[in-house]
Amino acid sequence: MKSSISVIVCLLSSMIWAQQYHTEFAYENKNITIQNSYPKGGQKYIASDGKPYTFVIFWSRITNETNRKLKLALHLPNDAFTIPSSPQVNFYFYVPNMEMALENESLSNYGLDLESYLNENWKSSSNLVKTILPRESFLFYHVALSDKGVNGVVRAGFELQEHTLFYKINDLEINCGDIKFLD
């Protein structure tokens, strides 16, 4: 009995470690796939005003499985958001305007120099516009910054509803852009 439980635990552990992303959404009617990673971080960032923040970094990959170009347009304002499960915590979201390389997946913070990015973009809204060519993917970072730590896990990623893109973090959903085919 104990050996059966051990085998099951080992198999489940290896399945979790082998998966590089937390969620995957395959939109078969559009031939688009969106994958969202697990978080990295949980470290501190000290803003220029001396205030400490806690951050987590994610990556997402949007794959265009069609023969047409896609236009990805993201906009996240620099407003403070609260999530219903942690109403006392203010969150700020950033989408650095740079591509993430999958080989950075094993690096600290997925290879993103977050301190440099935030020092240059502090309190700025995030805008990302990218054309994704046919049969190609685009990987990008997104960051959740909070003024207090959160008890529990933080999960975030993008989902598509029709052409509208939503950023979801735990139990909060933000309309943040769209994905459209280019003719």
Side-chain angles (χ1 to χ4, degrees):
M1 179 70 172
K2 286 183 181 180
S3 63
S4 296
I5 292 173
S6 296
V7 169
I8 291 171
V9 169
C10 287
L11 286 173
L12 289 174
S13 296
S14 66
M15 286 172 42
I16 290 170
W17 285 107
Q19 186 173 348
Q20 297 175 335
Y21 47 87
H22 176 253
T23 58
E24 179 176 44
F25 301 101
Y27 303 97
E28 293 177 11
N29 59 334
K30 294 177 178 48
N31 292 319
I32 298 170
T33 302
I34 300 176
Q35 296 168 322
N36 299 296
S37 75
Y38 287 98
K40 281 194 178 185
Q43 300 158 354
K44 298 283 184 204
Y45 168 74
I46 307 298
S48 58
D49 62 3
K51 187 173 179 183
Y53 291 85
T54 302
F55 68 86
V56 287
I57 299 173
F58 302 87
W59 59 260
S60 290
R61 174 177 23 206
I62 298 177
T63 302
N64 176 5
E65 299 165 2
T66 72
N67 291 322
R68 299 168 60 193
K69 293 179 184 178
L70 287 178
K71 180 180 179 185
L72 166 67
L74 287 175
H75 173 75
L76 283 168
N78 196 284
D79 299 331
F81 291 91
T82 58
I83 58 177
S85 59
S86 299
Q88 72 286 1
V89 180
N90 290 311
F91 281 90
Y92 300 89
F93 305 115
Y94 292 91
V95 178
N97 195 3
M98 60 185 71
E99 190 164 359
M100 188 262 193
L102 198 54
E103 55 266 12
N104 291 348
E105 203 249 342
S106 63
L107 299 176
S108 172
N109 297 333
Y110 295 120
L112 176 64
D113 183 355
L114 184 65
E115 186 171 339
S116 293
Y117 172 79
L118 288 175
N119 288 343
E120 291 177 24
N121 297 282
W122 184 244
K123 297 289 184 176
S124 297
S125 60
S126 293
N127 296 293
L128 176 66
V129 177
K130 173 71 176 173
T131 299
I132 305 172
L133 297 177
R135 309 277 179 215
E136 292 194 4
S137 295
F138 177 64
L139 283 84
F140 59 97
Y141 300 98
H142 42 106
V143 178
L145 196 68
S146 64
D147 61 356
K148 297 178 188 133
V150 175
N151 290 330
V153 297
V154 177
R155 297 290 186 256
F158 293 89
E159 292 183 31
L160 191 59
Q161 295 175 18
E162 295 299 320
H163 294 286
T164 305
L165 206 55
F166 289 89
Y167 187 62
K168 291 188 175 185
I169 180 162
N170 288 10
D171 47 357
L172 174 68
E173 184 177 284
I174 303 167
N175 178 336
C176 66
D178 55 40
I179 296 177
K180 295 183 178 173
F181 288 104
L182 297 175
D183 293 327

